[in-house]
Amino acid sequence: RFDDRRWLANALVGRGTAYGYLHRVGEADADFGIAGELYAGLGETVRAAACVHNRGFVAGQAGDLPTALRYFDAAVTGGLPVDRHPEVLIDRAQVLVSAGLSVAARPVVGRAAELLAAAGRGAKLAEATLALARCALRAGQPMVAAATAGRAAVMFGRQGRASWRAAARAGEVLARVGWGGRGAGGGGGGGGGR
């Protein structure tokens, strides 16, 4: 009504995020697409690139993993600074794991963890550590997965995040069961550890 394109773009991002959480992928993608065009028209390249990334996130939710990865690449090429927004690396890693590329996901999550630690963002660091444990487990490295999930559980405990701590402990137990299930001589499996 007032032709405030920035306000409209912000509102569309908010609504797109809500649609994403409701798994209304088509509507979320449409809102992020329009918001990105509005931001680009205003010269706000970082916000426009973030909208491209968000389109990748919802594509990943819908199971369209190649499209998700293309959007993630386009967002970085379009100016999304990964060093300032390391959580985008966690989104990329989750899509890689969903595509069965756990080994490729590990360094991505590792980089996210480094950036989050350097920025003092403990909550996201704990989540990245848990994601790294899941990558290690899917890559056939249960010893690494168990140790990493245990570290995540400690971080979540310090943050008072009981449900996340329980999820990390469950991941640790699952990894230890997998580790023990290999029998004598079963080891870390997979490629190089951390």
Side-chain angles (χ1 to χ4, degrees):
R1 182 170 70 170
F2 300 109
D3 196 29
D4 186 337
R5 291 178 295 154
R6 182 172 288 108
W7 182 90
L8 177 58
N10 291 342
L12 288 168
V13 167
R15 188 173 73 176
T17 301
Y19 281 148
Y21 283 117
L22 295 170
H23 298 284
R24 292 169 60 176
V25 175
E27 292 152 305
D29 181 67
D31 280 353
F32 290 135
I34 295 167
E37 290 173 13
L38 289 167
Y39 285 133
L42 293 167
E44 295 191 24
T45 56
V46 173
R47 287 186 173 197
C51 288
V52 173
H53 177 86
N54 289 342
R55 293 183 80 183
F57 180 78
V58 296
Q61 281 187 315
D64 188 350
L65 307 180
T67 297
L69 292 171
R70 280 195 298 275
Y71 276 132
F72 291 159
D73 289 341
V76 172
T77 301
L80 185 63
V82 173
D83 288 357
R84 287 195 350 235
H85 301 280
E87 58 277 352
V88 302
L89 295 173
I90 297 170
D91 294 341
R92 174 182 287 278
Q94 288 173 335
V95 167
L96 290 170
V97 168
S98 295
L101 302 170
S102 299
V103 173
R106 285 191 68 214
V108 176
V109 177
R111 178 70 178 139
E114 290 169 10
L115 291 169
L116 291 164
R121 294 176 57 198
K124 283 293 182 183
L125 175 58
E127 292 169 24
T129 303
L130 181 56
L132 185 59
R134 290 174 178 155
C135 289
L137 185 60
R138 289 190 183 189
Q141 298 176 323
M143 290 170 40
V144 173
T148 307
R151 284 197 305 274
V154 169
M155 286 188 245
F156 289 128
R158 288 181 183 148
Q159 295 167 5
R161 297 167 71 188
S163 61
W164 280 89
R165 182 179 182 274
R169 286 290 178 213
E172 182 181 11
V173 169
L174 182 62
R176 290 190 187 285
V177 168
W179 177 11
R182 292 177 177 264
R194 226 173 108 90

